[in-house]
Amino acid sequence: MVNSVTSLGRSGLHDWMIQRVSAVVLMAYVIYLSVFIFSVDNMQFDIWHALFSQTWFKIFSFLAIASIAFHIWVGLWVISTDYLNPISIRMPFQVAVILICTAFLLWGAQILWSL
């Protein structure tokens, strides 16, 4: 039996909600960026820099990055608990995913707030 100690949420319902909310955030981000890109006639660095220099867009971008990390974690946690039965394989895999997602979040924050 799989223990929920390594789950992001407290139950399957919380993990399901994290997946859905993160998917909605990512969808909104992709739609906004798509509309922005296709509405600009001549995309140049100064326009792109101006967009990413706004605090609200940095926050929106960080929410998108966090949504990717949470979405990855929940998805790979489900896969690892279903298909990686030996704990000696599952736990190192889950620790590696946690470290990669954390590095991804920190790197994204560093990139966004260094502009």
Side-chain angles (χ1 to χ4, degrees):
M1 178 171 171
V2 176
N3 198 342
S4 67
V5 172
T6 57
S7 175
L8 185 62
R10 292 182 296 256
S11 68
L13 177 62
H14 287 92
D15 289 343
W16 183 85
M17 285 299 296
I18 289 169
Q19 282 287 95
R20 297 321 175 261
V21 170
S22 65
V24 168
V25 170
L26 290 171
M27 181 182 65
Y29 190 76
V30 167
I31 289 171
Y32 181 82
L33 266 184
S34 298
V35 168
F36 179 81
I37 289 169
F38 290 115
S39 67
V40 175
D41 291 331
N42 187 12
M43 180 65 72
Q44 294 182 0
F45 177 76
D46 58 337
I47 296 170
W48 195 249
H49 187 267
L51 175 66
F52 277 90
S53 294
Q54 299 176 40
T55 303
W56 73 268
F57 195 73
K58 286 182 181 183
I59 293 169
F60 190 27
S61 296
F62 188 74
L63 280 174
I65 291 170
S67 293
I68 291 170
F70 292 144
H71 203 87
I72 289 169
W73 168 243
V74 172
L76 290 178
W77 181 83
V78 168
I79 290 170
S80 68
T81 56
D82 286 348
Y83 298 108
L84 299 177
N85 292 328
I87 193 96
S88 61
I89 296 172
R90 184 174 60 239
M91 289 308 290
F93 175 80
Q94 291 178 348
V95 168
V97 171
I98 290 170
L99 292 175
I100 290 167
C101 287
T102 303
F104 177 69
L105 278 170
L106 294 174
W107 190 27
Q110 179 188 13
I111 290 168
L112 284 172
W113 272 274
S114 67
L115 293 176

